[in-house]
Amino acid sequence: AIGATVDAAAASEALATQRPRPSQAQGHNGGRDDWLAQCQQALDIERVKDKARLDERRMEAQSEEQKEWGTRPRGPVPLYWKLDIPGVSKTLTRRGILPANLTPAENPHITLLYFGGTFVDEVAAKRSGVSLEQFQGMREALEALEGEEFEVRMLRIVVEDSVACAVVSLPPVLPCSNKVPHITLGTKSGVPPRYANEVLEEMQAGRKEGINVIELQNPRPLKGRVALEHSEPDSM
């Protein structure tokens, strides 16, 4: 019995030494709380860093866009130099002139030099498919010719499923960045007028399938004036 009492006392003492005292337990809990607080702080710091990185990328993207488009004033921006051909509009209103699936062009013209709404010469030159020097030379020449009237000749009509256009010859003094000067006569709904450029260039490269060409025996003379087309910034 005495031995059993001694063993029980020893066991009780051993358990007491293994069980943390109240102050020790509080210390362990406090350490865990400190660790959780540090983790939360680290997460908060990472969130701030992530937001800063996103803001920096957004600013870089805006800067790149600004470089490409240039500084936009609150007024009209240039789209392209053109030779207005108003006489074509009357012809296009006649029934049977264009295929039924094509919508007549509202303001028929010959695009002479394309800007696309940018004020940066390098970007505009790239969009026009000419060198920077050529672009600047053409622009200066067209600025000097603004308002002047010229006669051009309609050589042939090109009709494709999505677009119809008239190929024209220009006087030598009139610059044009398009490989094939033309007037877009009509397009299928949803097709941009510039698609005529692609069709004409493909035709030059040898495409015949899906294209109907009507050669004019007597090239038709047309008159037009040089003008700069603008667009409001919001419509770009």
Side-chain angles (χ1 to χ4, degrees), residues 8 109-110 234:
H109 64 271
I110 302 168
D234 291 343

Side-chain angles (χ1 to χ4, degrees), residues 11 71 85 92 106 147 162 180 185 197:
T71 303
I85 312 291
L92 294 178
E106 293 184 2
S162 298
V180 184
L185 303 176
N197 285 314

Side-chain angles (χ1 to χ4, degrees), residues 39-203:
C39 289
Q40 185 62 48
Q41 185 178 10
L43 286 172
D44 292 340
I45 292 173
E46 285 301 317
R47 290 194 186 100
V48 172
K49 288 181 179 179
D50 288 342
K51 184 179 184 302
R53 282 192 288 265
L54 287 173
D55 290 342
E56 185 178 357
R57 288 178 191 151
R58 191 178 295 111
M59 291 180 66
E60 288 176 357
Q62 291 174 349
S63 177
E64 288 299 320
E65 182 181 5
Q66 188 70 16
K67 288 179 183 178
E68 180 169 336
W69 287 95
T71 303
R72 294 188 187 182
R74 288 187 177 181
V77 294
L79 286 179
Y80 49 80
W81 280 97
K82 63 179 181 177
L83 190 70
D84 264 325
I85 312 291
V88 175
S89 295
K90 296 179 182 179
T91 303
L92 294 178
T93 57
R94 299 176 188 171
R95 181 177 296 182
I97 295 295
L98 291 176
N101 68 319
L102 301 183
T103 302
E106 293 184 2
N107 300 297
H109 64 271
I110 302 168
T111 299
L112 301 173
L113 185 62
Y114 186 71
F115 285 82
T118 180
F119 291 91
V120 182
D121 286 359
E122 291 83 354
V123 177
K126 185 177 180 180
R127 292 176 180 173
S128 293
V130 297
S131 68
L132 176 61
E133 293 74 16
Q134 287 175 318
F135 175 83
Q136 292 173 336
M138 289 181 181
R139 182 184 60 193
E140 291 176 5
L142 290 166
E143 287 173 351
L145 295 172
E146 186 173 10
E148 294 289 328
E149 187 178 68
F150 291 92
E151 183 178 274
V152 301
R153 293 188 174 273
M154 187 184 296
L155 304 178
R156 63 188 65 89
I157 306 295
V158 177
V159 181
E160 197 242 22
D161 181 63
S162 298
V163 68
C165 56
V167 177
V168 299
S169 64
L170 303 176
V173 70
L174 200 58
C176 181
S177 61
N178 284 335
K179 294 180 180 179
V180 184
H182 64 277
I183 307 167
T184 300
L185 303 176
T187 58
K188 183 185 288 187
S189 177
V191 176
R194 65 176 178 273
Y195 178 63
N197 285 314
E198 299 178 26
V199 172
L200 292 172
E201 289 177 16
E202 290 173 0
M203 194 175 74

